[in-house]
Amino acid sequence: MSELKKLLAQCAIAVAACLGTLVIAGCAAPVQAPAPEVVVVEKKVKDPCISEAPARPAYATGKGDYPVDAKGQPDDAKAAAILGQDFELADQYGKRWEAAAAGCVKVPAANL
């Protein structure tokens, strides 16, 4: 085979490789995604199940100075009593919320 035929064969192979690469690159081009469609659905909303929120209690903790006894020493017993009263108020407040929200809770039939 002459040098000219070898050169033509190599050129043909190079052109085929370039065309193959272009075809493959064309297939891998990004496809433009369709624009998202916005759908507005109007739906009736039920009346709220809680008609009135329970009133938040006025806690005594953190209000004023720390209680002191006759000697001016911190009175832990008075502080503990204040915390106990606040705990009781918080517990009652939580129970009022549970009672108000009782109509909102739906229990599945399988759990009864």
Side-chain angles (χ1 to χ4, degrees):
M1 199 186 240
S2 70
E3 290 294 322
L4 184 58
K5 287 184 181 179
K6 285 183 183 178
L7 184 60
L8 286 174
Q10 289 175 350
C11 286
I13 291 172
V15 168
C18 287
L19 288 175
T21 304
L22 289 173
V23 169
I24 291 173
C27 292
V31 178
Q32 188 174 11
E37 187 177 326
V38 177
V39 178
V40 177
V41 178
E42 292 189 20
K43 191 173 183 181
K44 290 185 179 181
V45 178
K46 292 182 180 179
D47 292 333
C49 57
I50 298 176
S51 59
E52 187 177 328
R56 181 179 289 258
Y59 298 115
T61 303
K63 308 264 168 90
D65 294 332
Y66 194 84
V68 292
D69 60 11
K71 298 179 186 175
Q73 298 296 320
D75 192 351
D76 294 334
K78 286 183 183 176
I82 291 171
L83 285 174
Q85 291 169 356
D86 283 353
F87 177 80
E88 208 41 55
L89 289 173
D91 190 43
Q92 291 170 7
Y93 180 58
K95 288 178 182 175
R96 286 195 303 270
W97 263 111
E98 286 178 8
C104 301
V105 178
K106 292 183 181 178
V107 179
N111 293 342
L112 294 176

